[in-house]
Amino acid sequence: MRARLALLSLALGLSVSAGAANPEARPEALRALVQARVAAEYPSLEAIYRDLHAHPELSFLEVRTAGIVANELRALGITVTEHVGNTGVVGVLRNGQGPTVMVRADMDALPIREETGLPYASKVEMDDLAGRRQPVMHACAHDAHIAGFIGTARTLVGLQAHWSGTVLFVAQPAEEIGGGALAMLNDGLFERFPAPDYALALHVWGSLPAGVIGFAEGPTYANVDSVDILVRGYGGHGSRPHLTKDPIVLAAEIVTALQTIVSRELEPGTPAVVTVGSIHGGTKHNIIPDDVKLQLTLRSYSDPVADHLIGSIRRICENLARAAGVSEDRLPVVTMAEQRTPSVYNDPTLTRRLTGSFRQWFGENRVVPEKPTTGGEDFARYGRTNRRIPLSIWWVGGQDPAKIEANLRTGAPLPWNHSAQFAPVPEPTLKAAVTSMTAAVLDLLGKPAAQERGADARGRPAGY
Ligand SMILES: [Zn+2]
Ligand SMILES: [Zn+2]
């Protein structure tokens, strides 16, 4: 490692001796040094990426992936702890006085059969946590996150002379089911390891050209609530509806009435989504069933709006059932199918600081503001503990620019995250992932400016 660094430094005419402070390095020289290191590491990182892509693992089953992460971090001299929150891996890299920055990457893949046709496409099937056989694909680019995470660790270890503080490397399981961050926090992530002053993450994004950085300030990812509704009536023969309380008609009224929550109850301009994604009831043409099951997904940004949506759903369900003459003991049952994935609030001060840095590293036109997404991301949880740690997550474009151009010109579908055809372009994507995360850490831990602990932890409004 050090021999390679010394060679690189020689080639660049820079003085870098690991362990010795070098606060005088000019920003351009440091950027050149990082770029040279990223270029030198790239062939190995692409090999890791291809290997991870070909061997995806489902949520909380990321055993092989976690092993690769642990070995790679250990080989760099980073102190590694495995099995934090089931399959999570934590690495601690201490390098003198200064703040602690958490770098988080997620490891899990999705139950999707890959259709990219890539030479390194996944052919994997595995049993999920419920024991169901599933095809598996890295369709959300978490393989690129992990390859980028390893690249960032290598780069930061090689540049220890240029920063001071502690980096907490967190390889998280089970982002796709919204459970991994919570599992790691419940397993003592911030008690057993240095609690961070800042938490950083990135996500490869299918709507941005490969290598371009996108960002949002404030609410960035949405609250995700999954709701089950059991609409109950009294079944009977389809020819004699007057002797029943038909739950199908009631469910239809409920689905329609739910559309008025966002349009009639929220202040115009308040972003929120109420989607009924599943409706099931009945077995046959001429039987009125006893019940109908609905499954909903809700999206919002602030906690009060999320709670409002749920309160309104209960009110509408119960009172439409009463209007239909359903007795109190047969009113609809509204339950939360899983715990809320809270919205991500990108700390504006921290995000502005980092995007200012990114503009210097990538150039003005490769750092673009993006709209918040209605997707969910459990990275939020690291900012929702009582430590109120400021977070920032940014997007790294992964898309082939030719596909974006074709999409704009002909309307051809753009394979996006969670699509069986999603195929990020490895080189610009991985290089931008490593470079942006390294730049962010160097900004927060760079010498000589010593940052105060939690200096950016201010100004988050209530409800986020
Ligand atoms: Zn995803
Ligand atoms: Zn993802």
Side-chain angles (χ1 to χ4, degrees), residues 106 140-142 145 175-176 203 377 417-418:
D106 39 11
C140 203
H142 297 186
H145 301 175
E175 187 282 327
E176 293 292 356
H203 205 300
E377 172 51 89
N417 298 62
H418 291 211

Side-chain angles (χ1 to χ4, degrees), residues 418-437:
H418 291 211
S419 151
Q421 283 109 29
F422 184 41
V425 189
E427 185 161 350
T429 307
L430 291 174
K431 284 184 170 173
V434 178
T435 305
S436 62
M437 189 55 82

Side-chain angles (χ1 to χ4, degrees), residues 163-389:
W163 59 274
S164 178
T166 299
V167 182
L168 181 71
F169 290 97
V170 174
Q172 182 205 300
E175 187 282 327
E176 293 292 356
I177 59 170
L182 202 56
M184 293 192 83
L185 288 166
N186 289 342
D187 203 2
L189 180 66
F190 291 166
E191 290 78 37
R192 292 162 59 193
F193 307 97
D197 299 294
Y198 310 95
L200 309 179
L202 56 81
H203 205 300
V204 170
W205 217 227
S207 51
L208 282 171
V212 167
I213 305 292
F215 69 92
E217 279 177 24
T220 298
Y221 280 81
N223 287 312
V224 180
D225 282 304
S226 303
V227 177
D228 288 333
I229 304 175
L230 179 64
V231 179
R232 302 181 294 179
Y234 308 98
H237 200 290
S239 66
R240 301 198 300 168
H242 58 295
L243 299 179
T244 72
K245 296 291 177 204
D246 186 345
I248 288 188
V249 173
L250 175 54
E253 287 177 339
I254 287 173
V255 170
T256 309
L258 293 179
Q259 310 307 315
T260 63
I261 300 173
V262 174
S263 72
R264 304 291 87 183
E265 295 185 26
L266 298 183
E267 185 180 347
T270 307
V273 177
V274 175
T275 290
V276 180
S278 160
I279 175 165
H280 285 96
T283 53
K284 197 174 183 303
H285 307 70
N286 60 356
I287 300 173
I288 293 171
D290 282 326
D291 50 49
V292 172
K293 295 184 177 74
L294 305 178
Q295 293 182 311
L296 284 68
T297 190
L298 315 181
R299 305 296 161 110
S300 58
Y301 291 101
S302 76
D303 294 351
V305 172
D307 295 340
H308 181 114
L309 299 180
I310 293 162
S312 296
I313 288 167
R314 287 189 199 283
R315 188 194 73 240
I316 287 168
C317 286
E318 288 174 7
N319 288 302
L320 280 179
R322 287 190 179 106
V326 173
S327 58
E328 291 294 311
D329 62 327
R330 293 283 293 166
L331 292 180
V333 182
V334 178
T335 47
M336 306 307 293
E338 52 199 43
Q339 214 176 348
R340 174 177 305 162
T341 296
S343 64
V344 174
Y345 187 83
N346 259 2
D347 185 88
T349 312
L350 175 61
T351 304
R352 248 169 256 159
R353 175 175 171 175
L354 297 181
T355 49
S357 249
F358 294 160
R359 288 196 175 93
Q360 291 177 341
W361 285 72
F362 289 86
E364 287 285 335
N365 57 2
R366 287 182 66 204
V367 181
V368 296
E370 285 280 290
K371 282 186 187 151
T373 169
T374 43
E377 172 51 89
D378 76 350
F379 178 60
R381 295 207 184 272
Y382 302 109
R384 294 276 190 145
T385 72
N386 55 17
R387 296 173 194 274
R388 305 282 285 172
I389 293 160

